[in-house]
mmCIF file of all heavy atoms in Angstrom:
data_model
loop_
_atom_site.group_PDB
_atom_site.id
_atom_site.type_symbol
_atom_site.label_atom_id
_atom_site.label_comp_id
_atom_site.label_asym_id
_atom_site.label_seq_id
_atom_site.Cartn_x
_atom_site.Cartn_y
_atom_site.Cartn_z
ATOM 1 N N THR A 181 -16.513 11.826 12.160
ATOM 2 C CA THR A 181 -15.370 10.937 11.902
ATOM 3 C C THR A 181 -15.067 10.901 10.403
ATOM 4 O O THR A 181 -13.904 10.829 10.004
ATOM 5 C CB THR A 181 -15.595 9.505 12.440
ATOM 6 O OG1 THR A 181 -16.665 8.878 11.737
ATOM 7 C CG2 THR A 181 -15.897 9.497 13.932
ATOM 8 N N LEU A 182 -16.104 10.974 9.577
ATOM 9 C CA LEU A 182 -15.881 10.996 8.128
ATOM 10 C C LEU A 182 -15.120 12.257 7.719
ATOM 11 O O LEU A 182 -14.231 12.206 6.864
ATOM 12 C CB LEU A 182 -17.213 10.909 7.375
ATOM 13 C CG LEU A 182 -17.844 9.512 7.339
ATOM 14 C CD1 LEU A 182 -19.260 9.571 6.784
ATOM 15 C CD2 LEU A 182 -16.990 8.544 6.512
ATOM 16 N N LEU A 183 -15.463 13.359 8.343
ATOM 17 C CA LEU A 183 -14.741 14.601 8.066
ATOM 18 C C LEU A 183 -13.273 14.453 8.461
ATOM 19 O O LEU A 183 -12.367 14.869 7.731
ATOM 20 C CB LEU A 183 -15.391 15.767 8.819
ATOM 21 C CG LEU A 183 -14.738 17.139 8.627
ATOM 22 C CD1 LEU A 183 -14.710 17.541 7.159
ATOM 23 C CD2 LEU A 183 -15.484 18.197 9.445
ATOM 24 N N GLU A 184 -13.051 13.792 9.598
ATOM 25 C CA GLU A 184 -11.664 13.556 10.028
ATOM 26 C C GLU A 184 -10.928 12.654 9.034
ATOM 27 O O GLU A 184 -9.727 12.808 8.813
ATOM 28 C CB GLU A 184 -11.640 12.952 11.437
ATOM 29 C CG GLU A 184 -11.983 13.976 12.506
ATOM 30 C CD GLU A 184 -12.084 13.369 13.906
ATOM 31 O OE1 GLU A 184 -11.089 12.769 14.367
ATOM 32 O OE2 GLU A 184 -13.150 13.489 14.531
ATOM 33 N N ASP A 185 -11.656 11.702 8.426
ATOM 34 C CA ASP A 185 -11.039 10.861 7.396
ATOM 35 C C ASP A 185 -10.552 11.725 6.233
ATOM 36 O O ASP A 185 -9.432 11.564 5.748
ATOM 37 C CB ASP A 185 -12.044 9.816 6.887
ATOM 38 C CG ASP A 185 -12.282 8.710 7.899
ATOM 39 O OD1 ASP A 185 -11.318 8.304 8.578
ATOM 40 O OD2 ASP A 185 -13.437 8.258 8.021
ATOM 41 N N LEU A 186 -11.390 12.644 5.810
ATOM 42 C CA LEU A 186 -11.012 13.514 4.689
ATOM 43 C C LEU A 186 -9.846 14.416 5.076
ATOM 44 O O LEU A 186 -8.920 14.624 4.283
ATOM 45 C CB LEU A 186 -12.211 14.346 4.233
ATOM 46 C CG LEU A 186 -13.384 13.557 3.635
ATOM 47 C CD1 LEU A 186 -14.495 14.500 3.194
ATOM 48 C CD2 LEU A 186 -12.924 12.690 2.461
ATOM 49 N N ARG A 187 -9.892 14.938 6.287
ATOM 50 C CA ARG A 187 -8.791 15.813 6.745
ATOM 51 C C ARG A 187 -7.478 15.041 6.817
ATOM 52 O O ARG A 187 -6.407 15.567 6.513
ATOM 53 C CB ARG A 187 -9.116 16.421 8.112
ATOM 54 C CG ARG A 187 -10.221 17.456 8.091
ATOM 55 C CD ARG A 187 -9.862 18.639 7.208
ATOM 56 N NE ARG A 187 -10.939 19.618 7.161
ATOM 57 C CZ ARG A 187 -11.297 20.291 6.071
ATOM 58 N NH1 ARG A 187 -10.670 20.100 4.925
ATOM 59 N NH2 ARG A 187 -12.271 21.165 6.119
ATOM 60 N N PHE A 188 -7.581 13.784 7.252
ATOM 61 C CA PHE A 188 -6.369 12.956 7.307
ATOM 62 C C PHE A 188 -5.816 12.728 5.897
ATOM 63 O O PHE A 188 -4.610 12.826 5.664
ATOM 64 C CB PHE A 188 -6.644 11.626 8.008
ATOM 65 C CG PHE A 188 -5.469 10.693 7.976
ATOM 66 C CD1 PHE A 188 -4.327 10.982 8.714
ATOM 67 C CD2 PHE A 188 -5.474 9.558 7.174
ATOM 68 C CE1 PHE A 188 -3.209 10.147 8.661
ATOM 69 C CE2 PHE A 188 -4.365 8.720 7.123
ATOM 70 C CZ PHE A 188 -3.231 9.017 7.868
ATOM 71 N N LEU A 189 -6.699 12.434 4.960
ATOM 72 C CA LEU A 189 -6.252 12.227 3.576
ATOM 73 C C LEU A 189 -5.578 13.484 3.043
ATOM 74 O O LEU A 189 -4.569 13.430 2.332
ATOM 75 C CB LEU A 189 -7.438 11.863 2.675
ATOM 76 C CG LEU A 189 -8.121 10.512 2.923
ATOM 77 C CD1 LEU A 189 -9.318 10.352 1.992
ATOM 78 C CD2 LEU A 189 -7.137 9.361 2.728
ATOM 79 N N GLU A 190 -6.148 14.618 3.401
ATOM 80 C CA GLU A 190 -5.595 15.898 2.960
ATOM 81 C C GLU A 190 -4.163 16.071 3.469
ATOM 82 O O GLU A 190 -3.285 16.553 2.766
ATOM 83 C CB GLU A 190 -6.491 17.013 3.506
ATOM 84 C CG GLU A 190 -6.297 18.353 2.855
ATOM 85 C CD GLU A 190 -7.329 19.350 3.374
ATOM 86 O OE1 GLU A 190 -7.828 19.200 4.508
ATOM 87 O OE2 GLU A 190 -7.632 20.291 2.625
ATOM 88 N N LYS A 191 -3.940 15.620 4.693
ATOM 89 C CA LYS A 191 -2.617 15.751 5.303
ATOM 90 C C LYS A 191 -1.640 14.727 4.718
ATOM 91 O O LYS A 191 -0.498 15.051 4.383
ATOM 92 C CB LYS A 191 -2.755 15.540 6.820
ATOM 93 C CG LYS A 191 -1.512 15.855 7.595
ATOM 94 C CD LYS A 191 -1.805 15.898 9.103
ATOM 95 C CE LYS A 191 -0.604 15.327 9.836
ATOM 96 N NZ LYS A 191 -0.943 14.727 11.123
ATOM 97 N N LEU A 192 -2.087 13.494 4.576
ATOM 98 C CA LEU A 192 -1.212 12.429 4.081
ATOM 99 C C LEU A 192 -0.912 12.584 2.599
ATOM 100 O O LEU A 192 0.171 12.241 2.148
ATOM 101 C CB LEU A 192 -1.860 11.061 4.358
ATOM 102 C CG LEU A 192 -1.114 9.821 3.858
ATOM 103 C CD1 LEU A 192 0.194 9.633 4.635
ATOM 104 C CD2 LEU A 192 -1.979 8.557 3.988
ATOM 105 N N GLN A 193 -1.869 13.085 1.836
ATOM 106 C CA GLN A 193 -1.739 13.193 0.382
ATOM 107 C C GLN A 193 -1.328 11.846 -0.247
ATOM 108 O O GLN A 193 -0.289 11.745 -0.913
ATOM 109 C CB GLN A 193 -0.726 14.282 0.007
ATOM 110 C CG GLN A 193 -1.181 15.697 0.358
ATOM 111 C CD GLN A 193 -2.291 16.208 -0.573
ATOM 112 O OE1 GLN A 193 -2.261 15.979 -1.786
ATOM 113 N NE2 GLN A 193 -3.285 16.863 -0.003
ATOM 114 N N PRO A 194 -2.134 10.822 -0.038
ATOM 115 C CA PRO A 194 -1.811 9.521 -0.614
ATOM 116 C C PRO A 194 -2.029 9.515 -2.128
ATOM 117 O O PRO A 194 -2.840 10.285 -2.634
ATOM 118 C CB PRO A 194 -2.800 8.580 0.072
ATOM 119 C CG PRO A 194 -3.985 9.438 0.366
ATOM 120 C CD PRO A 194 -3.434 10.816 0.667
ATOM 121 N N ALA A 195 -1.300 8.633 -2.820
ATOM 122 C CA ALA A 195 -1.487 8.498 -4.264
ATOM 123 C C ALA A 195 -2.786 7.753 -4.562
ATOM 124 O O ALA A 195 -3.377 7.935 -5.621
ATOM 125 C CB ALA A 195 -0.298 7.746 -4.864
ATOM 126 N N MET A 196 -3.206 6.908 -3.612
ATOM 127 C CA MET A 196 -4.379 6.050 -3.835
ATOM 128 C C MET A 196 -5.285 6.105 -2.608
ATOM 129 O O MET A 196 -4.802 6.246 -1.485
ATOM 130 C CB MET A 196 -3.918 4.599 -4.055
ATOM 131 C CG MET A 196 -2.909 4.453 -5.193
ATOM 132 S SD MET A 196 -2.085 2.853 -5.213
ATOM 133 C CE MET A 196 -0.861 3.013 -3.944
ATOM 134 N N VAL A 197 -6.572 5.973 -2.854
ATOM 135 C CA VAL A 197 -7.522 5.954 -1.724
ATOM 136 C C VAL A 197 -8.600 4.896 -1.981
ATOM 137 O O VAL A 197 -9.363 5.000 -2.947
ATOM 138 C CB VAL A 197 -8.220 7.314 -1.528
ATOM 139 C CG1 VAL A 197 -9.083 7.273 -0.260
ATOM 140 C CG2 VAL A 197 -7.213 8.452 -1.427
ATOM 141 N N GLY A 198 -8.650 3.896 -1.114
ATOM 142 C CA GLY A 198 -9.670 2.850 -1.231
ATOM 143 C C GLY A 198 -10.841 3.145 -0.302
ATOM 144 O O GLY A 198 -10.658 3.309 0.899
ATOM 145 N N ILE A 199 -12.028 3.217 -0.898
ATOM 146 C CA ILE A 199 -13.229 3.500 -0.105
ATOM 147 C C ILE A 199 -14.311 2.506 -0.493
ATOM 148 O O ILE A 199 -14.655 2.373 -1.664
ATOM 149 C CB ILE A 199 -13.742 4.932 -0.380
ATOM 150 C CG1 ILE A 199 -12.670 5.962 -0.008
ATOM 151 C CG2 ILE A 199 -15.040 5.199 0.385
ATOM 152 C CD1 ILE A 199 -13.013 7.372 -0.445
ATOM 153 N N GLY A 200 -14.835 1.803 0.499
ATOM 154 C CA GLY A 200 -15.917 0.862 0.210
ATOM 155 C C GLY A 200 -16.882 0.843 1.378
ATOM 156 O O GLY A 200 -16.545 1.283 2.479
ATOM 157 N N PRO A 201 -18.079 0.329 1.130
ATOM 158 C CA PRO A 201 -19.044 0.233 2.220
ATOM 159 C C PRO A 201 -18.639 -0.854 3.202
ATOM 160 O O PRO A 201 -18.069 -1.871 2.801
ATOM 161 C CB PRO A 201 -20.342 -0.158 1.502
ATOM 162 C CG PRO A 201 -19.870 -0.920 0.305
ATOM 163 C CD PRO A 201 -18.592 -0.254 -0.128
ATOM 164 N N PHE A 202 -18.925 -0.638 4.477
ATOM 165 C CA PHE A 202 -18.821 -1.731 5.440
ATOM 166 C C PHE A 202 -19.934 -2.725 5.132
ATOM 167 O O PHE A 202 -21.076 -2.337 4.885
ATOM 168 C CB PHE A 202 -18.968 -1.207 6.871
ATOM 169 C CG PHE A 202 -19.310 -2.288 7.857
ATOM 170 C CD1 PHE A 202 -18.391 -3.287 8.168
ATOM 171 C CD2 PHE A 202 -20.562 -2.326 8.466
ATOM 172 C CE1 PHE A 202 -18.715 -4.307 9.057
ATOM 173 C CE2 PHE A 202 -20.890 -3.338 9.362
ATOM 174 C CZ PHE A 202 -19.976 -4.334 9.661
ATOM 175 N N ILE A 203 -19.567 -4.005 5.107
ATOM 176 C CA ILE A 203 -20.542 -5.078 4.895
ATOM 177 C C ILE A 203 -20.372 -6.073 6.031
ATOM 178 O O ILE A 203 -19.274 -6.586 6.233
ATOM 179 C CB ILE A 203 -20.312 -5.786 3.536
ATOM 180 C CG1 ILE A 203 -20.338 -4.779 2.385
ATOM 181 C CG2 ILE A 203 -21.338 -6.892 3.323
ATOM 182 C CD1 ILE A 203 -19.927 -5.371 1.034
ATOM 183 N N PRO A 204 -21.428 -6.346 6.800
ATOM 184 C CA PRO A 204 -21.261 -7.253 7.937
ATOM 185 C C PRO A 204 -20.757 -8.628 7.501
ATOM 186 O O PRO A 204 -21.140 -9.131 6.445
ATOM 187 C CB PRO A 204 -22.673 -7.355 8.529
ATOM 188 C CG PRO A 204 -23.536 -6.425 7.773
ATOM 189 C CD PRO A 204 -22.784 -5.839 6.640
ATOM 190 N N ALA A 205 -19.872 -9.201 8.312
ATOM 191 C CA ALA A 205 -19.316 -10.520 8.023
ATOM 192 C C ALA A 205 -19.747 -11.499 9.098
ATOM 193 O O ALA A 205 -19.820 -11.139 10.280
ATOM 194 C CB ALA A 205 -17.791 -10.435 7.968
ATOM 195 N N ALA A 206 -20.018 -12.728 8.694
ATOM 196 C CA ALA A 206 -20.430 -13.774 9.632
ATOM 197 C C ALA A 206 -19.329 -14.048 10.646
ATOM 198 O O ALA A 206 -18.138 -13.890 10.338
ATOM 199 C CB ALA A 206 -20.762 -15.051 8.865
ATOM 200 N N ASN A 207 -19.723 -14.442 11.856
ATOM 201 C CA ASN A 207 -18.787 -14.819 12.915
ATOM 202 C C ASN A 207 -17.814 -13.718 13.307
ATOM 203 O O ASN A 207 -16.651 -13.966 13.590
ATOM 204 C CB ASN A 207 -17.979 -16.068 12.513
ATOM 205 C CG ASN A 207 -18.862 -17.174 11.995
ATOM 206 O OD1 ASN A 207 -19.776 -17.621 12.692
ATOM 207 N ND2 ASN A 207 -18.624 -17.594 10.775
ATOM 208 N N THR A 208 -18.288 -12.483 13.254
ATOM 209 C CA THR A 208 -17.485 -11.353 13.731
ATOM 210 C C THR A 208 -18.325 -10.576 14.751
ATOM 211 O O THR A 208 -19.557 -10.692 14.747
ATOM 212 C CB THR A 208 -17.130 -10.385 12.579
ATOM 213 O OG1 THR A 208 -18.341 -9.835 12.032
ATOM 214 C CG2 THR A 208 -16.350 -11.083 11.472
ATOM 215 N N PRO A 209 -17.689 -9.776 15.594
ATOM 216 C CA PRO A 209 -18.450 -8.988 16.575
ATOM 217 C C PRO A 209 -19.456 -8.047 15.914
ATOM 218 O O PRO A 209 -20.444 -7.678 16.541
ATOM 219 C CB PRO A 209 -17.352 -8.199 17.301
ATOM 220 C CG PRO A 209 -16.114 -9.010 17.138
ATOM 221 C CD PRO A 209 -16.233 -9.667 15.795
ATOM 222 N N PHE A 210 -19.217 -7.658 14.674
ATOM 223 C CA PHE A 210 -20.113 -6.712 13.993
ATOM 224 C C PHE A 210 -21.110 -7.389 13.066
ATOM 225 O O PHE A 210 -21.737 -6.740 12.223
ATOM 226 C CB PHE A 210 -19.292 -5.698 13.172
ATOM 227 C CG PHE A 210 -18.572 -4.656 14.012
ATOM 228 C CD1 PHE A 210 -17.698 -3.761 13.422
ATOM 229 C CD2 PHE A 210 -18.789 -4.565 15.384
ATOM 230 C CE1 PHE A 210 -17.033 -2.797 14.175
ATOM 231 C CE2 PHE A 210 -18.124 -3.606 16.154
ATOM 232 C CZ PHE A 210 -17.242 -2.722 15.544
ATOM 233 N N THR A 211 -21.283 -8.698 13.222
ATOM 234 C CA THR A 211 -22.117 -9.433 12.265
ATOM 235 C C THR A 211 -23.554 -8.920 12.204
ATOM 236 O O THR A 211 -24.180 -8.961 11.142
ATOM 237 C CB THR A 211 -22.073 -10.953 12.542
ATOM 238 O OG1 THR A 211 -22.790 -11.638 11.526
ATOM 239 C CG2 THR A 211 -22.690 -11.305 13.901
ATOM 240 N N ASP A 212 -24.073 -8.411 13.328
ATOM 241 C CA ASP A 212 -25.469 -7.947 13.336
ATOM 242 C C ASP A 212 -25.609 -6.447 13.111
ATOM 243 O O ASP A 212 -26.714 -5.908 13.183
ATOM 244 C CB ASP A 212 -26.135 -8.317 14.664
ATOM 245 C CG ASP A 212 -26.291 -9.830 14.790
ATOM 246 O OD1 ASP A 212 -26.555 -10.478 13.758
ATOM 247 O OD2 ASP A 212 -26.119 -10.364 15.906
ATOM 248 N N LYS A 213 -24.516 -5.771 12.844
ATOM 249 C CA LYS A 213 -24.570 -4.325 12.610
ATOM 250 C C LYS A 213 -25.034 -4.049 11.183
ATOM 251 O O LYS A 213 -24.791 -4.850 10.278
ATOM 252 C CB LYS A 213 -23.189 -3.693 12.818
ATOM 253 C CG LYS A 213 -22.575 -3.964 14.178
ATOM 254 C CD LYS A 213 -23.195 -3.087 15.239
ATOM 255 C CE LYS A 213 -22.432 -3.218 16.562
ATOM 256 N NZ LYS A 213 -23.170 -2.645 17.685
ATOM 257 N N PRO A 214 -25.693 -2.906 10.965
ATOM 258 C CA PRO A 214 -26.098 -2.572 9.593
ATOM 259 C C PRO A 214 -24.885 -2.238 8.733
ATOM 260 O O PRO A 214 -23.862 -1.773 9.243
ATOM 261 C CB PRO A 214 -26.983 -1.340 9.776
ATOM 262 C CG PRO A 214 -26.651 -0.793 11.119
ATOM 263 C CD PRO A 214 -26.124 -1.920 11.954
ATOM 264 N N GLY A 215 -25.006 -2.490 7.441
ATOM 265 C CA GLY A 215 -23.917 -2.182 6.513
ATOM 266 C C GLY A 215 -23.983 -0.739 6.050
ATOM 267 O O GLY A 215 -24.952 -0.026 6.314
#
Side-chain angles (χ1 to χ4, degrees):
T181 65
L182 284 170
L183 180 58
E184 286 175 58
D185 287 322
L186 295 181
R187 290 299 179 219
F188 175 69
L189 293 177
E190 196 174 26
K191 189 168 144 207
L192 178 68
Q193 293 287 320
M196 304 167 281
V197 186
I199 300 171
F202 162 68
I203 304 172
N207 311 303
T208 62
F210 287 174
T211 185
D212 293 324
K213 304 282 188 194

